[in-house]
Amino acid sequence: MTDLITASPDSPSVLARPRPRRRRSRGWRNALIGWSFILPNLIGFVAITLVPVLAMFALSFASWDGYNPPSWVGLKNFRRLFKDDASMTALWNTLYYAVGYVPLTMLAALGLALLLNRKMRGVAFFRAVAFFPYITSLVAVAIVWNMLFNPQFGPVNQFLGWFGVHGPGWTTSTTWAMPAVIVTSVWRDMGYYMILFLAGLQAIPKELYEAAEVDGTNAWQRFRAVTVPGLRPTSFLVLILLTVQAFKVFDLIYVMTQGGPGDATLVLAQQIYQTGIVDGQYGYASAISVLLFALVLVLTLIQFWFNGRRERK
């Protein structure tokens, strides 16, 4: 109080202190700069993601062909969904694909990461080779693997023939089409998740391995006691990403088998496309989308709950 009374307006302490009006203008300027950075992304999120998602929930309770005004039908679309054989087949095939794709991709990516985390000549080249399928054109991948799985001239069946095994029809067989698609998906995506596991492996302190070696542990014991706990955050992230990826698979299956033969590889994403875009039943397609959304949400919440429980132990 004494300083405020005795200090003159021209004293250095008063001149150095910013005036309230100047502080407010600086705050507005900082706020405008911040909004200029996030506003384009926010507008894009609202226009491309949030509004369509809200419209999907609303249309799931309506009947709409895209031309006439939508009409309210209540739960009719959902009752139809659980009585529709094609949608139930698509649901089963999606679960089948996820059960095969997620663990196989995790194991293949982790194996590649462990192999390429060592100091050896040309390791950067081999890492690039492992990552290359992920950036390759999806159409090219589907065509090449269709040629490999060709029942008569494909190298896969020729290789099996060397051991006296008669190879199946693969993509032309209702039994083997989905395993063929899963193998192709694993081959294409394992390089991307290998990069994530490599980052996780290189974040584990080397002192832990050195201490384990001093204790006389072998390689398997070090993997269980040091590598697996050290990779837990990375494994959790990879598991979440793979689960979401598995349930929204569409493009590879559409190019490779188009859901066939029959409905052997028909998945929920393709059923949504067929019902909504091709047949123009946007209300029913929205109901299938809500089912797909609920499945992914429930599985993700279970994974978060399970991971949190393990971390609390």
Side-chain angles (χ1 to χ4, degrees):
M1 186 67 180
T2 306
D3 294 342
L4 291 176
I5 295 173
T6 57
S8 65
D10 296 334
S11 63
S13 61
V14 173
L15 291 176
R17 188 182 306 165
R19 295 178 180 177
R21 186 174 180 181
R22 185 178 298 174
R23 284 204 301 268
R24 284 197 298 271
S25 63
R26 183 180 299 172
W28 276 106
R29 187 181 62 183
N30 291 338
L32 288 175
I33 292 174
W35 278 104
S36 68
F37 279 108
I38 66 172
L39 200 58
N41 188 35
L42 184 62
I43 293 174
F45 170 76
V46 171
I48 299 175
T49 303
L50 184 60
V51 171
V53 168
L54 295 177
M56 175 196 73
F57 281 103
L59 283 176
S60 65
F61 299 98
S63 176
W64 188 43
D65 59 4
Y67 299 100
N68 299 305
S71 58
W72 176 265
V73 296
L75 297 175
K76 182 179 178 181
N77 288 330
F78 292 96
R79 287 195 294 267
R80 176 188 169 187
L81 170 61
F82 292 104
K83 294 178 181 177
D84 186 0
D85 292 337
S87 296
M88 289 298 100
T89 301
L91 174 61
W92 165 250
N93 288 340
T94 304
L95 294 173
Y96 180 11
Y97 176 84
V99 169
Y101 168 76
V102 174
L104 286 179
T105 307
M106 279 197 76
L107 290 175
L110 178 59
L112 273 177
L114 290 171
L115 185 65
L116 298 178
N117 193 40
R118 301 176 179 180
K119 291 181 180 179
M120 60 182 183
R121 180 176 294 181
V123 67
F125 170 76
F126 291 116
R127 288 175 183 175
V129 170
F131 187 72
F132 185 74
Y134 187 74
I135 58 175
T136 304
S137 167
L138 186 71
V139 176
V141 170
I143 292 174
V144 168
W145 276 93
N146 268 331
M147 294 171 60
L148 294 175
F149 283 129
N150 187 290
Q152 296 180 341
F153 310 106
V156 175
N157 278 0
Q158 290 183 3
F159 177 77
L160 293 176
W162 294 344
F163 301 95
V165 178
H166 180 70
W170 297 111
T171 54
T172 60
S173 164
T174 55
T175 304
W176 291 98
M178 185 59 81
V181 170
I182 291 173
V183 169
T184 307
S185 301
V186 171
W187 177 82
R188 180 176 180 268
D189 294 342
M190 63 182 181
Y192 173 75
Y193 296 102
M194 174 203 70
I195 298 296
L196 299 183
F197 276 122
L198 271 176
L201 286 172
Q202 293 176 5
I204 299 175
K206 297 187 182 304
E207 291 79 7
L208 296 178
Y209 289 104
E210 293 171 357
E213 287 181 2
V214 171
D215 290 341
T217 57
N218 56 34
W220 172 247
Q221 289 171 328
R222 288 195 295 276
F223 175 76
R224 289 186 55 191
V226 179
T227 305
V228 172
L231 280 179
R232 185 173 296 166
T234 307
S235 302
F236 178 66
L237 172 65
V238 170
L239 182 62
I240 295 289
L241 294 176
L242 281 173
T243 303
V244 176
Q245 180 76 16
F247 277 86
K248 69 183 186 69
V249 63
F250 169 73
D251 41 12
L252 180 65
I253 291 180
Y254 188 78
V255 175
M256 198 167 175
T257 63
Q258 295 187 348
D263 292 336
T265 56
L266 178 68
V267 290
L268 282 176
Q270 187 180 351
Q271 177 70 356
I272 293 168
Y273 168 78
Q274 180 68 33
T275 307
I277 304 300
V278 178
D279 299 339
Q281 302 178 46
Y282 294 101
Y284 184 51
S286 298
I288 304 173
S289 302
V290 170
L291 172 65
L292 181 59
F293 174 82
L295 275 174
V296 175
L297 179 64
V298 169
L299 288 174
T300 304
L301 291 177
I302 291 174
Q303 289 167 350
F304 269 98
W305 173 80
F306 187 71
N307 185 66
R309 186 179 177 184
R310 291 183 62 184
E311 288 184 347
R312 285 193 294 271
K313 287 183 179 178

